[in-house]
């Protein structure tokens, strides 16, 4: 099931329920390591990255069961922080196990983490923050070894609001003795979700969602039941996809309050958007209008949805300009979109210009990373005739069942 076959050119129509959030589930699952009792984490998506996280937790000694109502994790028996190579190199978010494991075991051995090939993705901010909390790092035979005799609170100032580094500091801070004050924290909704879970377990955290977070560490945590919110990036993929493909759809349980920048962009592109507590309704224009898009940390426009705008703009009117400020190497779909007849110029590693054409033509294209892969599926839906998107395991890392979801919206898509 490596490819997706798409019969394009059909406007989207109908409603689809949005899955639980990948980027919220992963750190919450990592955080269960700090809780020496069972937690039930509900609404986790059934995606490859969640399955990898479950394998990692099991390899560390956690008892993990996927029940009808959610994932039950009991980390009572965890003693040593050694992570198997294969699991770590394939998934960048295994990095948030670093803060959790250091907090739990005082030592960690892991490979340098993997993830999507979108730029260099260094981990210097994680390492320097944890050093300030008493962690020592050694590199041996390509492995990273971390140890802390006494993890302690610290005043940390992040020069860039890294999501992963903020998560690691929170996880280590909850286990550390004393107070951790984090300035320059990431403000993404997933940080708030992580803090909400930890607070439900008894941690003392203030300021989640702002750039200053204060953690009073060292409290004993107890198990809880927790609901992971819907995935704002999956919702945004379908919403902006509809702007490109055409039609009108309802995204059930889409978290409108976390998606303001995305909804404003959809409106600028000519979409009619209605926000409600039940979800988001969007009606597409005949052809998308041109926009100037700049990605930014939350509450700015998310880098994870930049490729879908790029795809949608390929069938737009006029010239759309996109600036990517978070990751280099996030325009890898440009060459693939050109195979479908798109008119795009990449001026440097962070800027592209897209001149909309009336219609894209179906083609064989290749996904090389998660979000770009989903954008290629959107492009296939926009194009006239048949398209094949290869490399779909990348897409399955983040989308529970992108074919089923688009079929619910009337599209003709199958995995082959
Ligand atoms: C998380 C999300 C990812 C999203 C990204 C930005 C998860 C599992 N992934 O990734 O979907 O695209 O946030 O919203 O939640 N950086 C450094 N040094 C570091 C850490 C980061 O230079 O130590 C740089 C990165 O290379 C990148 C930028 O900071 O250019 C943003 O990275 P970060 O916010 O850490 O993203 P992730 O946590 O990896």
């Amino acid at each position: 099931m490596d490819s997706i076959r798409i019969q394009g050119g059909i406007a989207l129509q109908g409603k689809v329920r949005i899955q639980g959030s990948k980027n919220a589930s992963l750190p919450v699952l990592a955080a269960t390591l700090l809780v020496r009792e069972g937690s039930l984490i509900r609404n986790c998506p059934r995606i490859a990255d969640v399955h990898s996280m479950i394998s990692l937790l099991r390899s560390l000694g956690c008892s993990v069961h996927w029940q009808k109502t959610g994932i039950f994790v009991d980390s009572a028996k965890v003693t040593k922080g050694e992570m198997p190579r294969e699991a770590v190199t394939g998934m960048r978010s295994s990095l948030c196990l670093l803060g959790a494991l250091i907090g739990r075991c005082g030592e960690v051995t892991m490979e340098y983490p993997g993830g999507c090939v979108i730029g260099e993705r260094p981990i210097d901010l994680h390492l320097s923050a944890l050093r300030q909390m008493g962690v020592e790092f050694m590199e041996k035979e390509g492995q990273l070894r971390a140890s802390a005799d006494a993890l302690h609170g610290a005043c940390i100032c992040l020069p860039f609001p890294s999501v992963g580094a903020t998560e690691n500091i929170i996880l280590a801070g909850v286990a550390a003795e004393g107070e951790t004050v984090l300035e320059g924290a990431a403000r993404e909704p997933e940080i708030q979700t992580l803090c909400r879970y930890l607070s439900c377990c008894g941690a003392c955290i203030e300021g989640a969602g702002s750039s200053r977070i204060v953690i009073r560490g060292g409290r004993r945590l107890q198990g809880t039941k927790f609901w992971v919110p819907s995935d704002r990036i999956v919702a945004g993929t379908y919403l902006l996809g509809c702007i490109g493909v055409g039609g009108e759809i309802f995204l059930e349980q889409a978290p409108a309050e976390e998606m303001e920048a995305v909804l404003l962009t959809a409106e600028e592109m000519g979409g009619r958007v209605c926000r409600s507590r039940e979800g988001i309704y969007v009606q597409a224009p005949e052809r998308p209008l041109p926009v100037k898009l700049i990605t930014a940390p939350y509450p700015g426009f998310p880098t994870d949805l930049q490729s879908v705008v790029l795809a949608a703009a390929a069938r737009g009117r006029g010239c759309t300009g996109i600036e990517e400020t978070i990751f280099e190497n996030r325009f890898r779909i440009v060459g693939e979109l050109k195979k479908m007849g798109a008119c795009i110029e990449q001026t440097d590693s962070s800027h592209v210009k897209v001149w909309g054409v009336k219609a894209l033509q179906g083609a064989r294209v290749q996904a090389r990373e998660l979000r770009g892969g989903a954008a290629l599926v959107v492009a296939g839906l926009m194009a006239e005739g048949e398209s094949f998107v290869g490399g779909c395991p990348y897409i399955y890392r983040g989308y529970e069942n992108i074919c089923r979801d688009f079929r619910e919206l009337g599209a003709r898509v199958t995995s082959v």
Side-chain angles (χ1 to χ4, degrees):
M1 295 291 180
D2 268 11
S3 299
I4 293 179
R5 180 170 52 203
I6 306 160
Q7 194 65 46
I10 305 166
L12 300 177
Q13 199 89 46
K15 72 172 179 183
V16 66
R17 185 187 161 273
I18 301 301
Q19 68 183 60
S21 161
K22 159 181 162 307
N23 288 357
S25 300
L26 296 171
V28 167
L29 287 169
T32 59
L33 281 170
L34 295 172
V35 184
R36 288 155 201 256
E37 298 177 0
S39 282
L40 181 66
I41 314 298
R42 298 163 68 195
N43 203 35
C44 287
R46 289 180 183 265
I47 52 172
D49 272 15
V50 167
H51 294 301
S52 305
M53 179 59 88
I54 290 175
S55 308
L56 261 171
L57 289 172
R58 282 195 182 127
S59 72
L60 292 165
C62 295
S63 156
V64 191
H65 303 283
W66 206 313
Q67 304 177 343
K68 242 189 180 165
T69 47
I71 303 174
F72 181 81
V73 191
D74 186 348
S75 68
K77 296 208 175 96
V78 172
T79 49
K80 65 175 177 25
E82 222 167 283
M83 290 193 244
R85 159 175 285 183
E86 327 72 63
V88 177
T89 43
M91 189 176 65
R92 168 132 177 133
S93 40
S94 55
L95 189 56
C96 59
L97 287 170
L98 178 60
L101 267 182
I102 263 291
R104 175 65 190 265
C105 307
E107 56 180 13
V108 184
T109 306
M110 71 189 293
E111 301 291 314
Y112 274 95
C116 276
V117 267
I118 46 169
E120 292 255 315
R121 307 193 87 166
I123 59 169
D124 54 315
L125 301 174
H126 301 248
L127 302 189
S128 117
L130 292 172
R131 270 195 197 103
Q132 292 172 65
M133 301 175 82
V135 183
E136 282 179 25
F137 290 99
M138 263 177 38
E139 204 194 315
K140 208 170 169 192
E141 292 151 15
Q143 284 194 319
L144 185 66
R145 294 190 185 180
S147 61
D149 288 337
L151 195 63
H152 55 77
C155 287
I156 299 165
C157 186
L158 281 177
F160 177 84
S162 155
V163 175
T166 301
E167 289 165 351
N168 260 329
I169 295 163
I170 292 167
L171 290 163
V174 161
E177 280 305 318
E179 188 174 87
T180 298
V181 179
L182 171 58
E183 306 274 2
R187 297 167 58 194
E188 268 68 1
E190 294 75 28
I191 303 291
Q192 298 182 50
T193 303
L194 173 63
C195 292
R196 223 172 32 247
Y197 167 69
L198 288 164
S199 300
C200 286
C201 297
C204 179
I205 307 173
E206 278 167 24
S210 77
S211 52
R212 184 174 194 271
I213 299 179
V214 180
I215 306 147
R216 287 180 197 91
R219 297 191 174 201
R220 193 177 169 81
L221 305 182
Q222 68 270 341
T224 191
K225 285 183 185 164
F226 188 74
W227 181 268
V228 171
S230 305
D231 196 307
R232 65 191 173 101
I233 303 300
V234 171
T237 304
Y238 300 163
L239 186 132
L240 294 164
C242 178
I243 296 288
V245 180
E248 52 182 324
I249 60 172
F250 184 70
L251 303 165
E252 217 175 343
Q253 290 176 25
E257 66 291 346
E258 297 177 356
M259 294 177 62
E260 202 43 37
V262 176
L263 301 184
L264 289 175
T265 301
E267 284 169 338
E268 268 182 68
M269 295 177 89
R272 201 164 74 77
V273 176
C274 292
R275 305 141 169 89
S276 74
R277 278 183 46 181
E278 288 72 39
I280 302 172
Y281 162 87
V282 60
Q283 185 181 39
E286 205 177 303
R287 277 175 71 189
L289 302 176
V291 285
K292 293 241 169 306
L293 186 81
I294 304 178
T295 62
Y298 191 82
F301 188 92
T303 170
D304 285 359
L305 289 173
Q306 174 262 102
S307 340
V308 195
V309 173
L310 176 53
R315 202 184 68 85
R317 295 177 195 278
C319 177
T320 284
I322 300 180
E323 181 179 350
E324 170 59 58
T325 68
I326 309 294
F327 289 110
E328 70 271 29
N329 229 350
R330 240 194 177 170
F331 290 129
R332 303 187 79 194
I333 63 164
V334 167
E336 303 305 292
L337 290 175
K338 283 184 177 170
K339 290 181 191 164
M340 302 174 109
C343 182
I344 306 172
E345 185 194 353
Q346 182 168 355
T347 42
D348 59 38
S349 64
S350 51
H351 294 85
V352 294
K353 279 187 178 158
V354 189
W355 286 271
V357 295
K358 239 183 172 172
L360 296 182
Q361 306 306 321
R364 280 184 182 269
V365 290
Q366 189 67 21
R368 295 198 178 83
E369 41 98 7
L370 165 59
R371 305 301 174 188
L376 288 176
V377 174
V378 166
L381 294 169
M382 287 160 48
E384 287 176 355
E386 193 169 68
S387 293
F388 283 89
V389 179
C392 292
Y394 284 114
I395 303 176
Y396 306 144
R397 285 189 41 210
Y399 295 79
E400 232 172 34
N401 195 333
I402 197 168
C403 292
R404 176 201 61 201
D405 287 352
F406 276 125
R407 272 199 302 271
E408 304 244 315
L409 299 174
R412 288 169 65 185
V413 236
T414 36
S415 48
V416 286

